[in-house]
C-alpha cells in the first residue's frame, strides 16, 4: 500500500504541476496542500486495509452460503431472498459515508488554507519587526 501511495503522490503532484497559473491563483496554497495529503492518505488506506477486507469478507460470504445451503437449504433460500434489501441498505450507507467524507475533506482543506495564511501573516509581521 505504501508503494501505491507513493505512486499516487507522484501522479497527483504531476497533475498539480500541469495546472495553469490561473488555477493555482484561484485556489489557496494551504487548501491544495491539505487536499493533496488527504487524498493520498485515502489511496493508501483503500489499497492497504480495505482491499484486504474486501477479499476476506467476500470469501467468508461465499463459504458461509455454501455451508448454509448444505445444512438447511430452505432457510438459506429464505435468507437469500432478503439479500436485495440488504444490498440497498449497504449502498445507501456507502453513499452517506462518501458524502460525509467529502464534506470532511473540504473542511480539512479549508482549515489547512487558513493555517497557512495565519503562519504567513505571522512571518510577515516578524520580518517587518512589527511584533512587540
Amino acid at each position: 500500500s505504501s508503494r501505491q501511495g507513493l505512486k499516487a503522490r507522484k501522479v497527483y503532484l504531476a497533475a498539480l504541476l500541469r495546472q495553469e497559473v490561473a488555477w493555482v491563483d484561484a485556489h489557496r496554497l494551504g487548501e491544495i496542500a491539505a487536499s493533496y495529503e488527504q487524498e493520498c492518505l485515502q489511496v493508501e488506506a483503500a489499497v492497504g486495509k480495505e482491499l484486504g477486507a474486501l477479499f476476506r469478507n467476500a470469501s467468508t460470504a461465499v463459504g458461509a452460503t455454501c455451508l448454509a445451503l448444505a445444512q438447511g437449504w430452505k432457510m438459506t433460500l429464505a435468507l437469500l431472498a432478503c439479500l436485495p434489501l440488504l444490498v440497498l441498505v449497504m449502498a445507501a450507507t456507502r453513499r452517506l459515508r462518501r458524502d460525509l467524507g467529502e464534506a470532511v475533506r473540504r473542511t480539512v482543506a479549508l482549515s489547512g488554507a487558513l493555517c497557512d495564511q495565519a503562519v504567513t501573516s505571522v512571518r510577515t509581521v516578524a520580518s517587518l519587526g512589527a511584533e512587540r
Side-chain angles (χ1 to χ4, degrees):
S1 71
S2 61
R3 284 194 313 231
Q4 291 298 322
L6 181 62
K7 186 176 180 179
R9 288 177 196 274
K10 288 179 181 178
V11 169
Y12 197 99
L13 182 61
L16 283 176
L17 293 175
R18 282 193 306 266
Q19 297 298 322
E20 296 289 330
V21 175
W23 182 88
V24 175
D25 289 341
H27 296 81
R28 296 178 179 161
L29 182 60
E31 182 179 338
I32 294 171
S35 66
Y36 171 77
E37 180 65 24
Q38 188 75 14
E39 291 175 12
C40 289
L41 288 175
Q42 287 177 350
V43 167
E44 286 183 21
V47 171
K49 290 188 277 184
E50 294 182 20
L51 191 60
L54 174 70
F55 288 132
R56 183 181 65 237
N57 293 339
S59 64
T60 300
V62 169
T65 304
C66 291
L67 184 62
L69 282 170
Q71 293 295 318
W73 65 272
K74 290 180 184 178
M75 179 61 93
T76 305
L77 290 179
L79 291 175
L80 286 176
C82 298
L83 193 61
L85 178 63
L86 179 63
V87 169
L88 286 175
V89 169
M90 289 174 52
T93 303
R94 185 175 185 90
R95 175 180 245 172
L96 181 64
R97 286 184 62 192
R98 185 192 68 213
D99 293 345
L100 287 174
E102 181 64 25
V104 167
R105 189 195 65 76
R106 283 192 307 264
T107 304
V108 167
L110 181 61
S111 66
L114 292 174
C115 182
D116 182 56
Q117 184 179 4
V119 169
T120 303
S121 298
V122 168
R123 287 181 182 166
T124 302
V125 170
S127 70
L128 296 174
E131 62 183 333
R132 297 175 195 230

